[in-house]
Amino acid sequence: MANLVVHFEIHASEPQRLIDFYGQLLGWRFTQFGDMPYWSIQTGDGAIGMDAPGHGINGGLTQRRGPAPERGAPVNGADVVIGVEGSVDDVFRKGLELGASEAVALQDMQGVGRVGYLLDPDGNVFGLISPLLSDGTQAMSGQSSP
């Protein structure tokens, strides 16, 4: 068995604020576990489940135990990179409109895709990636998108 990542967690000073942010930005669904300050995150169709293989993972959102990351501080922990269908530029722009701030500007990375990073409204960094480069070609194949 491979050592695959099967779950991620986001820490939130104000959980409802980030539930609203990620729900509006990415369409994620959140379900609270009883009275605990913990919500499961369903990221969408095709994610791995308890009894089903998948191409992506689901996660959780939990109440932060301490101060939010300071703006401009280096990443302390791991970050998540989310694969975007369609225009990563549009999703990036929508994130900014919903209260995120730019951490790393969108850029084309040959052989990888178009990648950029945002800070969510609570200061957590996350990436957005698409296989489509800004000129419409596929990063891996050099072919134009239909």
Side-chain angles (χ1 to χ4, degrees):
M1 178 175 160
N3 297 312
L4 301 174
V5 176
V6 297
H7 186 80
F8 67 90
E9 290 183 334
I10 299 170
H11 293 248
S13 301
E14 298 174 48
Q16 190 60 53
R17 184 176 180 197
L18 291 190
I19 288 168
D20 293 343
F21 173 79
Y22 287 105
Q24 290 176 43
L25 180 63
L26 302 169
W28 290 354
R29 296 182 318 272
F30 294 78
T31 305
Q32 189 169 4
F33 280 4
D35 293 330
M36 293 178 11
Y38 192 92
W39 293 258
S40 66
I41 303 171
Q42 295 82 43
T43 60
D45 294 339
I48 191 170
M50 292 299 274
D51 58 352
H55 298 287
I57 61 174
N58 290 314
L61 185 135
T62 188
Q63 178 71 51
R64 186 182 302 284
R65 296 181 181 161
E70 291 186 33
R71 298 289 176 179
V75 174
N76 183 6
D79 65 85
V80 176
V81 179
I82 300 141
V84 173
E85 289 185 21
S87 171
V88 70
D89 292 76
D90 290 347
V91 176
F92 197 88
R93 188 171 23 262
K94 183 176 180 181
L96 295 172
E97 291 168 3
L98 291 170
S101 57
E102 184 178 285
V104 177
L106 283 167
Q107 57 187 320
D108 287 347
M109 296 180 69
Q110 294 300 322
V112 176
R114 187 151 173 77
V115 183
Y117 289 81
L118 293 171
L119 292 168
D120 72 17
D122 203 27
N124 299 301
V125 65
F126 68 99
L128 298 170
I129 187 170
S130 170
L132 286 179
L133 300 174
S134 59
D135 66 3
T137 60
Q138 291 281 337
M140 298 298 245
S141 68
Q143 308 251 333
S144 291
S145 162

